[in-house]
CSV table of all heavy atoms in Angstrom, one decimal:
chain,number,residue,atom,x,y,z
D,127,GLU,N,11.5,129.3,146.4
D,127,GLU,CA,12.3,128.7,147.6
D,127,GLU,C,11.4,127.8,148.4
D,127,GLU,O,11.8,126.8,148.9
D,127,GLU,CB,12.9,129.9,148.4
D,127,GLU,CG,14.1,130.5,147.7
D,127,GLU,CD,15.2,129.5,147.4
D,127,GLU,OE1,15.5,128.7,148.3
D,127,GLU,OE2,15.7,129.5,146.3
D,128,ALA,N,10.2,128.3,148.7
D,128,ALA,CA,9.2,127.5,149.5
D,128,ALA,C,8.9,126.2,148.8
D,128,ALA,O,8.9,125.1,149.4
D,128,ALA,CB,8.0,128.3,149.8
D,129,ALA,N,8.6,126.3,147.5
D,129,ALA,CA,8.3,125.1,146.7
D,129,ALA,C,9.5,124.1,146.7
D,129,ALA,O,9.2,122.9,146.8
D,129,ALA,CB,8.0,125.5,145.2
D,130,LYS,N,10.7,124.6,146.6
D,130,LYS,CA,11.9,123.7,146.7
D,130,LYS,C,12.0,123.0,148.0
D,130,LYS,O,12.2,121.8,148.0
D,130,LYS,CB,13.1,124.6,146.4
D,130,LYS,CG,14.4,123.8,146.4
D,130,LYS,CD,15.6,124.7,146.1
D,130,LYS,CE,16.9,123.9,146.0
D,130,LYS,NZ,18.1,124.8,145.8
D,131,THR,N,11.8,123.7,149.1
D,131,THR,CA,11.8,123.1,150.4
D,131,THR,C,10.7,122.1,150.6
D,131,THR,O,11.0,121.0,151.1
D,131,THR,CB,11.7,124.2,151.5
D,131,THR,OG1,12.7,125.1,151.4
D,131,THR,CG2,11.7,123.6,152.9
D,132,ILE,N,9.5,122.4,150.2
D,132,ILE,CA,8.4,121.5,150.3
D,132,ILE,C,8.6,120.2,149.4
D,132,ILE,O,8.4,119.1,149.9
D,132,ILE,CB,7.1,122.2,149.9
D,132,ILE,CG1,6.8,123.3,150.9
D,132,ILE,CG2,5.9,121.2,149.8
D,132,ILE,CD1,5.7,124.3,150.5
D,133,GLN,N,9.1,120.4,148.2
D,133,GLN,CA,9.3,119.3,147.3
D,133,GLN,C,10.3,118.3,147.8
D,133,GLN,O,10.2,117.1,147.7
D,133,GLN,CB,9.7,119.8,145.9
D,133,GLN,CG,9.7,118.7,144.9
D,133,GLN,CD,8.4,118.0,144.7
D,133,GLN,OE1,7.3,118.6,144.5
D,133,GLN,NE2,8.3,116.7,144.8
D,134,ALA,N,11.4,118.9,148.4
D,134,ALA,CA,12.4,118.0,149.0
D,134,ALA,C,11.9,117.1,150.1
D,134,ALA,O,12.2,115.9,150.2
D,134,ALA,CB,13.6,118.9,149.6
D,135,ASN,N,11.0,117.7,150.9
D,135,ASN,CA,10.4,117.0,152.0
D,135,ASN,C,9.4,115.9,151.4
D,135,ASN,O,9.4,114.8,151.8
D,135,ASN,CB,9.6,117.9,152.9
D,135,ASN,CG,9.1,117.3,154.2
D,135,ASN,OD1,8.8,118.0,155.2
D,135,ASN,ND2,9.0,116.0,154.3
D,136,ASN,N,8.6,116.4,150.4
D,136,ASN,CA,7.6,115.5,149.8
D,136,ASN,C,8.3,114.3,149.1
D,136,ASN,O,7.7,113.2,149.0
D,136,ASN,CB,6.8,116.3,148.8
D,136,ASN,CG,5.4,115.6,148.6
D,136,ASN,OD1,4.9,114.9,149.5
D,136,ASN,ND2,4.8,115.9,147.5
D,137,ASN,N,9.5,114.5,148.5
D,137,ASN,CA,10.2,113.4,147.8
D,137,ASN,C,10.5,112.3,148.8
D,137,ASN,O,10.4,111.1,148.4
D,137,ASN,CB,11.5,114.0,147.2
D,137,ASN,CG,11.3,114.8,146.0
D,137,ASN,OD1,10.2,114.7,145.4
D,137,ASN,ND2,12.3,115.6,145.6
D,138,VAL,N,10.8,112.6,150.0
D,138,VAL,CA,11.1,111.6,151.0
D,138,VAL,C,9.8,110.7,151.3
D,138,VAL,O,9.9,109.5,151.3
D,138,VAL,CB,11.6,112.2,152.4
D,138,VAL,CG1,11.7,111.1,153.4
D,138,VAL,CG2,12.9,113.0,152.2
D,139,ILE,N,8.7,111.4,151.4
D,139,ILE,CA,7.4,110.8,151.7
D,139,ILE,C,7.0,109.9,150.5
D,139,ILE,O,6.6,108.7,150.6
D,139,ILE,CB,6.3,111.8,151.9
D,139,ILE,CG1,6.6,112.5,153.3
D,139,ILE,CG2,4.9,111.1,151.9
D,139,ILE,CD1,5.7,113.7,153.6
D,140,ILE,N,7.2,110.5,149.3
D,140,ILE,CA,6.9,109.7,148.0
D,140,ILE,C,7.7,108.5,147.9
D,140,ILE,O,7.2,107.4,147.6
D,140,ILE,CB,7.0,110.6,146.8
D,140,ILE,CG1,6.0,111.7,146.8
D,140,ILE,CG2,7.0,109.8,145.5
D,140,ILE,CD1,6.2,112.8,145.8
D,141,ASN,N,9.0,108.6,148.2
D,141,ASN,CA,9.9,107.4,148.1
D,141,ASN,C,9.5,106.3,149.1
D,141,ASN,O,9.6,105.1,148.7
D,141,ASN,CB,11.3,107.9,148.4
D,141,ASN,CG,11.9,108.7,147.2
D,141,ASN,OD1,11.5,108.5,146.1
D,141,ASN,ND2,12.9,109.5,147.5
D,142,ILE,N,9.0,106.7,150.3
D,142,ILE,CA,8.6,105.7,151.2
D,142,ILE,C,7.4,105.0,150.7
D,142,ILE,O,7.3,103.8,150.7
D,142,ILE,CB,8.3,106.4,152.6
D,142,ILE,CG1,9.6,106.9,153.2
D,142,ILE,CG2,7.6,105.4,153.5
D,142,ILE,CD1,9.3,107.9,154.3
D,143,GLY,N,6.4,105.8,150.3
D,143,GLY,CA,5.1,105.2,149.7
D,143,GLY,C,5.4,104.3,148.5
D,143,GLY,O,4.9,103.2,148.4
D,144,ALA,N,6.2,104.8,147.6
D,144,ALA,CA,6.5,104.0,146.4
D,144,ALA,C,7.3,102.7,146.8
D,144,ALA,O,7.0,101.7,146.2
D,144,ALA,CB,7.4,104.9,145.5
D,145,GLY,N,8.2,102.8,147.7
D,145,GLY,CA,9.0,101.7,148.1
D,145,GLY,C,8.1,100.6,148.8
D,145,GLY,O,8.3,99.4,148.5
D,146,GLU,N,7.2,101.0,149.6
D,146,GLU,CA,6.3,100.1,150.3
D,146,GLU,C,5.4,99.4,149.3
D,146,GLU,O,5.0,98.3,149.4
D,146,GLU,CB,5.5,100.8,151.3
D,146,GLU,CG,6.3,101.3,152.5
D,146,GLU,CD,6.9,100.2,153.4
D,146,GLU,OE1,6.4,99.1,153.2
D,146,GLU,OE2,7.7,100.5,154.2
D,147,MET,N,5.0,100.2,148.2
D,147,MET,CA,4.0,99.6,147.2
D,147,MET,C,4.8,99.0,146.1
D,147,MET,O,4.1,98.6,145.1
D,147,MET,CB,3.1,100.8,146.7
D,147,MET,CG,2.2,101.3,147.7
D,147,MET,SD,1.1,100.0,148.3
D,147,MET,CE,0.2,99.5,146.8
D,148,ASN,N,6.1,98.9,146.1
D,148,ASN,CA,6.9,98.2,145.1
D,148,ASN,C,6.7,98.9,143.7
D,148,ASN,O,6.4,98.2,142.7
D,148,ASN,CB,6.6,96.7,145.0
D,148,ASN,CG,7.6,95.9,144.3
D,148,ASN,OD1,8.8,96.3,144.1
D,148,ASN,ND2,7.2,94.8,143.7
Side-chain angles (χ1 to χ4, degrees):
E127 285 302 313
K130 183 178 179 181
T131 299
I132 293 166
Q133 189 58 52
N135 192 161
N136 204 27
N137 285 342
V138 175
I139 293 170
I140 290 168
N141 287 336
I142 294 167
E146 295 291 348
M147 291 302 297
N148 195 26

